[in-house]
Amino acid sequence: MNRGMMLKLENLVHLHCACRQLHSLSYRKIHRTQWKPLRSSTYPMRPVQLHPQLWQIDTFTSVALSQYRLLATKEGKRPGKQKLPPIKPKIERQEVKIQQRMTVQDLARAMDKDIDHVYEALLFTGVDLDSLEPDSVLEEVWIKEVVKKSGMKCKWAKLKQEKVRENKDAMRRPPADPALLTPRPPVVTILGHVDHGKTTLLDSLRKTQVAAMEAGGITQHIGAFLVHLPSGEKITFLDTPGHAAFSAMRARGTQVTDIVILVVAAEDGVMKQTIESIQHAKNAKVPIILAINKCDKPEADPERVKKELLAHDVVCEEYGGDVQAVHMSALKGENLMALAEATVALAEVLELKADSTGLVEGTIIESRTDQGRGPVTTAIIQRGTLRKGCILVAGKSWAKVRLMFDENGKTVDEATPSMPVEIVGWKEVPSAGAEILEVESEQRAHEVVDWRNYAEQQEKIKQDMEVIETKQKEHKDAYKKERERLSNLTWRQRKAALYKTNKHLIAMSSKERAESDRKVLPVIVKGDVDGSTEAILNILDSYNADDECELDVIHFGVGDVSENDINLAETFKGEASVLATFCVTVGKSKVPVAGCRVQKGQFDRKLKFKLIRNRDVIWKGFLTSLKHHKDDVQVIKTGMDCGLSLDKNIEFNIGDEIICYEEKKVERTISWDSGF
């Protein structure tokens, strides 16, 4: 029986049932009863059913229909639903947000792992693990490799597009109208070899005893003085150090000078710093006056000095050149006026003039910290007139001028071009050699300083990236050479060779790798003035015994060495910042707890710790607890969070620094002479 016939039959049966039900309803309505007994004399009396039992018919019909459906199913075999294979639940891999130029520490934090996990993932790759530090930048290929080996997947983080900042820097004014220019005193720098009599010469001109007050009779920093000559002329003199360590100061002096007086001792002749001074003058394109000093000594030979200078393109007038030479004795005051007259004559030829109106421009000659007055600078005014209340910017510092002093310590109300002056009112100590510019308001000063900080940061990033790219190229080239060396080996031999090369690194943590055989001496440099600090740093740059002991200059500045400086110089293994503070109840007392993140190195509970706030050490001692995710631990590695409490009840502040350090006594095995 086909499916169409079965459906027709089914419809007919349903129609028949519906008609019977309608008939039954109408019958009940008329008669109000299902059945009624009748009497007949002919037939015996029995109950008569007036309406059949419809439920039986319906039952039979449904049974029949079910049989028909069954028959149709067997014959037609209707298509049923196909069973799908069971779906295995998909395991979602953790996504790691990555970006360009990620450091090892950034990647570990993004993966919620410690730094050692990243190092282990980079084993047997082309990365130079020996030179890899937590702040080292990884290439994109190695970032993806670490994530892949960790069973995670990469997702590029959306980078915020930084708006290009408007340049808010302060600049020098355009050249002034020649009609506004007025004559100014010459600025003269005295240069020469150490102990050739530069300061004694200036003493004689000033009638003072500056040389007697200097350490060892050697000038330690630039001195700026305004000298009044008997003829009524004024000359600003800059006295620079002649010692080899103060080359930067001599160069700085020539950048603001009009004339250089080159002092050469008649008995010594041309020396090392004499040659250097000549070079500074030539670089600054400044004319030279030769002062041959100590001519009163029996062994003096001025002619020999002039001949030696010919080899350095310093030709005196006697030999057909344009350099004036004065034979003198600074100690006895001989020929001082001849030297002064030669200077004034050269200044007249140069026609030195300046604009004394408008915003101030100048140069810082020296800077220092005064115990009672704060940051103080010695400056030469080059344009405009400086007065109290002026807002100045120099480098990344600014000032509202509170006080001004001359070279004798007397207060002055204003400073005109070519006048040396001490300025009080700086917020921070600016660097010597920095350009001074006056701005309209304090708000403008803040804008300039903010912009310069930003520009310096961008420049540093650019330089760092150049260094990083150079190192990465070196590592990549070395990796290619290594792969070429192993190219003829089987994969088993290659793996064994790589393991043999790197096996000494596998069991070592990142910090242990960096410090396993490293001897480091932390150094803090403090000087009386910025120039002295600069000179010491230049000397330390020439240190060349790093294979025996490295010098780590961790801080430098101007001022006295304080206890805080000594504390900073102590050897430390790691450091962390306090991100949150809270208290826990232990017994009946409350214990302050700091929530920290280790940013460098690792915390070892066995070592000593110190708490630093605003560069002041306010506590030193041991920890009473060190926890990670509510578990007591002995070590917390870089990038991990922890909670800790101290052995003293001290309240923490957000932003405090906690440093873990180890005290060691190491015998000295080298001499300072080996490095200089």
Side-chain angles (χ1 to χ4, degrees), residues 260-482:
V260 165
I261 293 181
L262 182 64
V263 179
V264 183
E267 83 279 18
D268 287 342
V270 176
M271 304 292 284
K272 184 177 180 181
Q273 271 66 59
T274 309
I275 299 171
E276 184 198 86
S277 299
I278 295 170
Q279 195 60 47
H280 286 319
K282 288 182 177 180
N283 292 339
K285 298 180 180 179
V286 176
I288 295 175
I289 295 176
L290 177 62
I292 303 177
N293 194 24
K294 303 184 181 181
C295 289
D296 57 319
K297 290 192 173 183
E299 62 272 24
D301 189 355
E303 294 304 317
R304 179 173 68 91
V305 172
K306 295 176 185 178
K307 290 178 182 179
E308 289 178 349
L309 289 172
L310 290 173
H312 304 285
D313 295 328
V314 178
V315 184
C316 298
E317 292 176 338
E318 297 94 307
Y319 293 93
D322 57 356
V323 176
Q324 301 179 71
V326 180
H327 300 188
M328 57 174 296
S329 172
L331 187 63
K332 295 184 177 180
E334 296 176 358
N335 265 353
L336 287 179
M337 291 312 298
L339 180 62
E341 289 170 2
T343 304
V344 172
L346 183 56
E348 289 176 353
V349 172
L350 296 174
E351 295 184 347
L352 302 173
K353 294 182 179 181
D355 176 18
S356 58
T357 63
L359 298 176
V360 172
E361 298 175 6
T363 301
I364 293 178
I365 301 300
E366 197 53 90
S367 59
R368 60 189 173 87
T369 300
D370 188 273
Q371 201 164 20
R373 298 182 291 184
V376 178
T377 61
T378 301
I380 295 289
I381 305 303
Q382 295 167 312
R383 190 174 181 182
T385 301
L386 183 64
R387 298 180 176 88
K388 292 181 182 178
C390 288
I391 307 298
L392 305 179
V393 174
K396 295 180 292 180
S397 181
W398 68 278
K400 183 174 182 180
V401 180
R402 293 192 288 113
L403 294 170
M404 292 185 293
F405 300 91
D406 63 12
E407 70 275 9
N408 298 314
K410 296 180 181 179
T411 58
V412 294
D413 295 326
E414 62 179 32
T416 54
S418 295
M419 182 175 175
V421 65
E422 282 194 340
I423 304 171
V424 178
W426 295 96
K427 305 304 176 184
E428 295 178 4
V429 180
S431 299
E435 181 183 61
I436 293 177
L437 295 175
E438 183 183 1
V439 294
E440 298 82 3
S441 63
E442 292 186 21
Q443 181 181 357
R444 176 72 180 120
H446 283 294
E447 287 180 354
V448 173
V449 172
D450 289 344
W451 166 258
R452 291 180 177 180
N453 284 323
Y454 170 76
E456 183 185 59
Q457 183 184 16
Q458 295 303 308
E459 182 63 26
K460 185 177 183 300
I461 291 173
K462 182 181 177 182
Q463 292 174 357
D464 289 346
M465 294 316 304
E466 290 175 356
V467 173
I468 289 167
E469 288 172 1
T470 303
K471 278 193 173 183
Q472 287 177 343
K473 186 177 183 303
E474 292 173 357
H475 295 161
K476 191 176 288 185
D477 293 342
Y479 177 67
K480 286 181 180 178
K481 288 181 181 179
E482 181 69 15

Side-chain angles (χ1 to χ4, degrees), residues 515 571-574 602-610 619-624 626 634-635 647 659-664:
E515 297 183 352
T571 303
F572 62 90
K573 284 195 172 182
Q602 65 181 19
F603 273 6
D604 189 336
R605 188 172 176 178
K606 295 179 293 185
L607 301 180
K608 294 185 72 174
F609 290 78
K610 55 186 172 185
W619 168 85
K620 295 170 74 173
F622 293 92
L623 301 182
T624 56
L626 181 63
Q634 290 295 324
V635 175
D647 59 6
I659 288 178
C660 173
Y661 66 99
E662 184 176 10
E663 293 180 342
K664 287 183 178 179

